[in-house]
Amino acid sequence: MKSLRGWDLGLVGAGIALVTISAIAMASAASTVSGGLALRHGLWIAIGLALFVGVASTNFHRWIDTSGLAYGVSLILLAIVLAAGTVRFGATRWLSLFGLSVQPSEFAKLATTLLLARYLAGQTSPLPARVALTALALVIPSALLVFVQPDLGSSSIVLAIWLGMAWVAGMSRKTLAGCAAALMVLAPVAWQLLKGYQRDRLLAFVNPHADPLGAGYTIIQSTIAIGSGRLWGRGWFAGTQNQLSFLPEHHSDFIFSVIGEEWGFLGCVAVVGAFAWLLFRMLHIALSASSPQGRLLAAGVFSWIAYQAFVNMGMVIGLLPVVGVPLPLISYGGSSMIMLWIALGLVQSVSRTDAMR
Amino acid sequence: MSDRLVQLRLLVPALCGVLLLRAAHLQLVRGAAYLRLAEQNRLRLVPEQAPRGLIVDRRGATLATNRTAFRVAIVPQETADVGAILARLGMLLRRRPDLLERTFLKERSLAFVPAVIVPDVPKETALLIEEDRAGLPGVLVKPEAARHYPHGSSAAHLLGHLSQPMAEELPLLKRYGVRPKELVGRAGLEQLLDAALRGRSGGLMVEVNHRGRQVRLLGRRSPDAGARVTLTIDAPLQSLVEQLLGAQPGACVVLDPRTGAVLAMASLPSFDPGVFVGPEPQAAAQLLDDPRSPLMNRAAVGVYQPGSIVKLITAVAALEHRLITLQTTVTCTGSITIGDRTFHCWNRDGHGPMTLTDAIMQSCNVYFMSIGLRLGADRLREALEHAGVAQKSGWPLEEQAGHLPRRRLTQGEVALLAIGQGEILMTALRAALVAAAFANGGWVVQPWVVQAVAGRPVAASRARRRLPWSNESLAAVRGGMREVVRNPLGTGHRAFNPSVALAGKTGTAQTHVPDRTHGWFIGFCPVDEPRVAMAIVTEYGGSGGDLPAEVARAVCEYVSVSDA
């Protein structure tokens, strides 16, 4: 069951489990936003699955070969967003293409992963500090362009991808410690660069009750929603925090609290369990990959999804500050859904390519 | 590379464990509390005030009712530019926008709770605002029940008034279902019967969304209207005596000597109890500061020197102690000397030889001072105590006891006490009860005013006390009282009307202000079968034979044609 002509059924199964949960939760969450939203979400899932199958059938090495071009295109798209993007939520993240709003930052995550897989694969292990920092320098333009959108969350994902891949490539603990120290020194500078609302959110995380109707509102309402679900949940379409819109962004960034409210602790266990399953499968593929490119690619996608999922769920249940990142494969958003399925397709391709050898 | 991947594999259960531990804490450990918070989020109790009970007179005429007041409120979350809205409202309401803004800032609470900026606007203004809906987003005009007193200031001291509870009273009132900003009875019957009049407020349980908008109605308890209270008051009679007293400060109590039921209790100057719930709070403050004390119920709280009306009690005591008979005469020379002091009769030429009837009729001071001296301090004081001069009557509302001297009195002071001067004070209510006792053959009744609550008769203790005086003595004094009005020489002849049989006694009490006297009249009618007893006092109002006697006549004329 595990492998059918190189297809890792565990990876597919975990992914499908997550989008199934997503579809169920979205039906309820989207009902208060707009009528067609749940259907559009279903369409994105279908397109994502089709792309997954298509990408998985190709050889991932060819994708890695085009990574330089892809990364260049991603930078140009991010620059265009800054110049001409549509302003939404006070942040410029979208680009209108053929009547569709696309989020180039999602594409940038994929391009970054491919670029780092290509660059780090040729390096010796343990990874010299110089190489690790060069790799960081490669992804900094992307991270910066996302940061000034401003999108603190996505920008940090790009850095998390670098961290995970550099670690797997053999970055030394000393280099890691040095980076951590540098981050602490730079933190006050970064604080100055943050927008007022971003600072409010971070402060609200420290004490949500300081401003219960402002920045702390979302955290308080989200904790109430999840807590009120108790063990069994309040039932599908029966979560009052969700259905009565006490919870802002309940179809996108805060979808996990809708699951927690309507499906209770068991729903949370299902989501976390499905993610664990998906992540274990990706690590398994990375471990059994014969080429360093394949191994690094799988590790990069692993870091991306692991970090983004943990940050999102952590913020929704009040463990981490509110930074706007969607829950992978579950939150509403076409760009994110498609890019994640392409990334999973590439991981699947790593698995298949290995099986063929 | 592989060892690093194996390390990452440890990260997955660690991160998942943290998430699930937190979720378990929120959902399993503290879930019940969060569920309660979620319910609080979505449920709103919208109180529905019960209409306050009506207060009606003995014939069902309305004394206190409810009218529709239009409240102007602003919903903060639906108003983008409060300044512009207030400027526009200011024009419609003819009020200064900055004052409106101050009220708005004081009253606003949550974004979806309307903040009342003007509690009561006329219907025309309410319509103007409704017509300008489009130009005034977020402005609401809410009709609400407000207390209304159709007779204005009539019987205001009896009815009392409403006001907002003070902060320190709220914890106590909360147990009776009173919410902040809800009006409570503050004085008079509105306060005494507050619980019955208030009824039980109902409410709606509403599910709201995050903007406080109603999503659905979950339940409703309809309010129970307050009980209708029927008084023993005769509203036309009440208005009549108030009109007759007019601008003269004073009081008038009219009651049924057989039962103690109060038919009229007037106190002037009066006030409109509606101002306490009306649109202008400063009007209420002015009443409190008014040097004429319009809020004081002079009928039950005002104590005055009684003057000559006390002579009736002196007369009974002298008859009871067999010091005099109806035939005994005392010659009035116009003055009497006691010790080294000479006291003048009001008639300095002297009344000549006087029987008891003559003395009551002409209110001869010399006669009553001399029999007062023969009675002595103890027997005189005993009689005054029997009459209850210094006692509270059991009146259910605020009441002041009168006063009698407790110390040893000189002979001169005893003589003065016998004619109601010096250290003696009485309320009009007590004076009316004394009149009633002469009318009903010696019973001191207890005054009451609430006849029925919600249609059920109030079982008031109709306690009455028998005076230790014989019917013969009482009849002898009644004969004198009859002459006071009927005889052209009587001090109360102005109260005479051949078609009504009124008996009474005037009083003109000297006060501590030289040449200013309180005027009194107490009496009852019809003489043979008295249906009303009354006391009228005019504060610094001159002679009791003038305005008080005229009021008494009007009361009798009214009673003779009414069915009381």
Side-chain angles (χ1 to χ4, degrees):
Chain A
M1 178 246 163
K2 220 170 205 180
S3 166
L4 188 71
R5 269 181 276 148
W7 287 78
D8 189 308
L9 293 186
L11 186 77
V12 182
I16 288 179
L18 285 167
V19 291
T20 306
I21 292 172
S22 168
I24 292 169
M26 193 61 63
S28 170
S31 65
T32 58
V33 183
S34 83
L37 208 70
L39 277 180
R40 272 209 302 283
H41 185 63
L43 186 66
W44 292 127
I45 292 175
I47 295 174
L49 281 168
L51 287 169
F52 168 79
V53 174
V55 170
S57 312
T58 63
N59 186 325
F60 72 94
H61 283 286
R62 263 188 269 153
W63 290 76
I64 289 184
D65 292 342
T66 62
S67 63
L69 180 66
Y71 188 65
V73 169
S74 77
L75 290 185
I76 291 167
L77 288 176
L78 287 173
I80 294 175
V81 168
L82 275 188
T86 324
V87 174
R88 298 187 188 184
F89 295 109
T92 321
R93 294 176 185 173
W94 277 266
L95 199 60
S96 282
L97 277 183
F98 315 115
L100 288 174
S101 298
V102 289
Q103 241 178 317
S105 58
E106 295 296 332
F107 178 54
K109 293 176 199 166
L110 182 65
T112 307
T113 314
L114 288 170
L115 182 75
L116 286 178
R118 180 180 182 180
Y119 177 71
L120 292 172
Q123 307 298 334
T124 54
S125 184
L127 201 64
R130 180 184 51 80
V131 177
L133 293 176
T134 311
L136 179 61
L138 277 176
V139 302
I140 284 283
S142 172
L144 264 184
L145 282 170
V146 177
F147 181 74
V148 296
Q149 276 182 354
D151 185 350
L152 181 62
S154 295
S155 161
S156 73
I157 293 171
V158 172
L159 295 178
I161 293 171
W162 163 78
L163 182 67
M165 293 177 77
W167 180 255
V168 171
M171 180 170 67
S172 68
R173 285 169 206 278
K174 216 196 275 175
T175 316
L176 184 66
C179 287
L183 191 67
M184 275 202 254
V185 173
L186 286 175
V189 181
W191 180 258
Q192 295 300 319
L193 291 175
L194 289 178
K195 302 279 173 192
Y197 79 91
Q198 290 175 319
R199 287 187 207 168
D200 287 347
R201 282 175 176 183
L202 292 174
L203 289 175
F205 166 68
V206 179
N207 180 12
H209 297 276
D211 184 10
L213 292 177
Y217 177 82
T218 319
I219 299 176
I220 294 172
Q221 296 302 341
S222 175
T223 343
I224 291 174
I226 295 199
S228 68
R230 305 211 270 179
L231 180 62
W232 297 99
R234 304 187 68 189
W236 201 19
F237 285 92
T240 56
Q241 293 281 103
N242 165 36
Q243 292 292 331
L244 301 170
S245 305
F246 285 103
L247 199 59
E249 297 294 309
H250 52 262
H251 65 294
S252 55
D253 291 358
F254 282 84
I255 189 82
F256 185 61
S257 61
V258 174
I259 296 170
E261 184 185 23
E262 299 196 344
W263 301 95
F265 183 65
L266 298 179
C268 293
V269 170
V271 173
V272 172
F275 270 114
W277 188 18
L278 183 77
L279 293 171
F280 275 130
R281 288 321 300 167
M282 284 197 275
L283 285 179
H284 177 78
I285 290 169
L287 276 167
S288 47
S290 51
S291 67
Q293 284 90 349
R295 186 168 293 191
L296 284 164
L297 185 57
V301 178
F302 168 89
S303 312
W304 171 3
I305 294 179
Y307 174 81
Q308 191 173 329
F310 181 71
V311 167
N312 176 280
M313 289 189 279
M315 95 181 169
V316 167
I317 62 177
L319 283 176
L320 294 172
V322 175
V323 286
V325 299
L327 186 58
L329 299 174
I330 295 189
S331 286
Y332 181 80
S335 308
S336 169
M337 183 63 75
I338 283 173
M339 289 304 152
L340 282 162
W341 278 115
I342 291 176
L344 289 175
L346 288 171
V347 177
Q348 186 64 269
S349 169
V350 172
S351 162
R352 274 188 61 252
T353 314
D354 276 1
M356 278 190 284
R357 281 188 186 169
Chain B
M1 256 192 228
S2 319
D3 53 332
R4 289 284 166 95
L5 285 169
V6 172
Q7 285 170 12
L8 283 185
R9 203 151 62 178
L10 295 176
L11 196 63
V12 175
L15 294 182
C16 292
V18 168
L19 291 173
L20 288 181
L21 274 178
R22 170 72 175 172
H25 176 69
L26 291 180
Q27 300 185 293
L28 306 182
V29 180
R30 301 189 50 203
Y34 281 115
L35 184 61
R36 208 158 47 234
L37 286 175
E39 293 291 293
Q40 278 171 18
N41 261 347
R42 90 186 164 101
L43 299 180
R44 292 277 178 285
L45 289 173
V46 183
E48 264 185 291
Q49 224 181 317
R52 201 170 169 84
L54 302 189
I55 303 179
V56 299
D57 86 339
R58 62 193 300 125
R59 291 188 195 84
T62 309
L63 300 175
T65 178
N66 304 303
R67 70 180 165 85
T68 308
F70 295 94
R71 300 186 159 206
V72 182
I74 293 182
V75 185
Q77 69 175 9
E78 287 169 18
T79 315
D81 185 353
V82 174
I85 297 286
L86 289 175
R88 196 157 176 162
L89 267 181
M91 271 186 354
L92 286 174
L93 300 169
R94 292 174 208 286
R95 281 168 200 245
R96 280 168 53 193
D98 54 320
L99 293 183
L100 290 180
E101 185 170 8
R102 198 184 303 166
T103 320
F104 173 70
L105 293 176
K106 204 177 77 186
E107 294 289 324
R108 70 165 294 170
S109 49
L110 294 170
F112 54 81
V113 176
V116 176
I117 57 165
V118 186
D120 196 352
V121 297
K123 194 175 180 182
E124 299 73 41
T125 317
L127 285 174
L128 277 181
I129 295 172
E130 282 293 318
E131 280 166 15
D132 199 12
R133 268 225 102 95
L136 296 166
V139 175
L140 283 181
V141 180
K142 290 198 296 180
E144 269 186 33
R147 199 61 160 167
H148 178 57
Y149 303 93
H151 295 280
S153 63
S154 184
H157 300 92
L158 268 180
L159 297 175
H161 59 87
L162 305 179
S163 73
Q164 287 193 358
M166 281 175 274
E168 61 267 25
E169 296 173 317
L170 273 176
L172 194 71
L173 288 168
K174 213 171 168 181
R175 279 187 276 155
Y176 299 94
V178 176
R179 287 182 311 278
K181 299 198 178 172
E182 197 169 275
L183 298 171
V184 294
R186 177 57 67 203
L189 292 167
E190 292 274 29
Q191 183 176 37
L192 183 75
L193 303 172
D194 196 40
L197 286 167
R198 193 187 308 128
R200 194 187 63 170
S201 54
L204 305 173
M205 185 181 263
V206 170
E207 182 171 74
V208 298
N209 66 10
H210 66 298
R211 304 191 61 184
R213 298 235 169 84
Q214 181 174 332
V215 179
R216 66 181 79 86
L217 186 64
L218 298 176
R220 175 168 194 268
R221 192 180 79 180
S222 44
D224 294 343
R228 175 188 167 111
V229 170
T230 308
L231 304 184
T232 57
I233 293 295
D234 186 321
L237 179 63
Q238 174 84 22
S239 300
L240 177 72
V241 296
E242 282 165 348
Q243 268 167 31
L244 288 172
L245 284 170
Q248 169 64 50
C252 172
V253 176
V254 182
L255 46 79
D256 187 329
R258 299 163 294 187
T259 62
V262 173
L263 301 175
M265 179 179 272
S267 171
L268 289 153
S270 189
F271 62 96
D272 180 357
V275 304
F276 288 91
V277 292
E280 275 139 28
Q282 62 272 27
Q286 272 171 15
L287 281 178
L288 289 166
D289 292 342
D290 194 323
R292 298 175 306 148
S293 313
L295 294 177
M296 181 176 102
N297 182 11
R298 285 170 161 78
V301 177
V303 288
Y304 300 93
Q305 276 95 352
S308 303
I309 61 173
V310 167
K311 288 172 182 167
L312 302 177
I313 301 165
T314 309
V316 169
L319 287 166
E320 285 294 302
H321 291 286
R322 306 195 186 285
L323 302 176
I324 54 167
T325 63
L326 274 175
Q327 285 71 42
T328 311
T329 59
V330 173
T331 302
C332 169
T333 57
S335 67
I336 182 171
T337 301
I338 300 162
D340 56 355
R341 275 183 79 187
T342 300
F343 298 90
H344 291 280
C345 189
W346 63 271
N347 183 348
R348 295 203 168 208
D349 298 335
H351 285 107
M354 301 247 101
T355 62
L356 176 65
T357 308
D358 297 333
I360 292 175
M361 175 179 87
Q362 299 197 44
S363 199
C364 178
N365 286 349
V366 170
Y367 180 95
F368 284 102
M369 287 172 104
S370 58
I371 65 167
L373 284 175
R374 280 158 67 189
L375 269 171
D378 292 342
R379 290 192 288 190
L380 180 59
R381 184 151 42 200
E382 183 193 53
L384 291 169
E385 275 165 6
H386 282 319
V389 167
Q391 279 169 26
K392 290 194 179 183
S393 66
W395 175 241
L397 298 172
E398 193 190 358
E399 185 189 10
Q400 177 79 46
H403 178 78
L404 283 175
R406 303 213 168 278
R407 57 190 174 82
R408 259 183 85 85
L409 299 177
T410 65
Q411 288 290 86
E413 284 169 333
V414 172
L416 282 174
L417 193 61
I419 61 166
Q421 295 291 159
E423 198 185 321
I424 174 170
L425 295 168
M426 237 170 129
T427 62
L429 177 61
R430 172 54 70 189
L433 293 172
V434 170
F438 282 104
N440 63 23
W443 294 93
V444 178
V445 291
Q446 193 172 322
W448 52 283
V449 72
V450 182
Q451 196 166 68
V453 173
R456 280 191 300 276
V458 174
S461 74
R462 300 286 147 77
R464 48 183 205 162
R465 173 165 62 85
R466 180 76 175 113
L467 289 168
W469 299 334
S470 67
N471 285 330
E472 293 73 35
S473 305
L474 290 164
V477 174
R478 271 204 299 272
M481 290 173 77
R482 181 77 188 102
E483 292 307 306
V484 168
V485 178
R486 187 164 61 183
N487 195 306
L489 291 174
T491 53
H493 189 59
R494 278 180 91 149
F496 181 64
N497 176 336
S499 58
V500 296
L502 170 64
K505 177 77 193 82
T506 60
T508 304
Q510 285 166 20
T511 64
H512 60 280
V513 185
D515 299 329
R516 302 286 309 269
T517 53
H518 298 317
W520 278 95
F521 189 99
I522 67 173
F524 54 88
C525 76
V527 170
D528 300 330
E529 221 173 290
R531 292 210 306 255
V532 296
M534 72 199 92
I536 299 112
V537 61
T538 54
E539 188 174 310
Y540 301 115
S543 166
D546 296 338
L547 182 57
E550 281 169 28
V551 173
R553 186 184 65 203
V555 168
C556 284
E557 284 163 356
Y558 174 86
V559 169
S560 70
V561 295
S562 85
D563 56 352

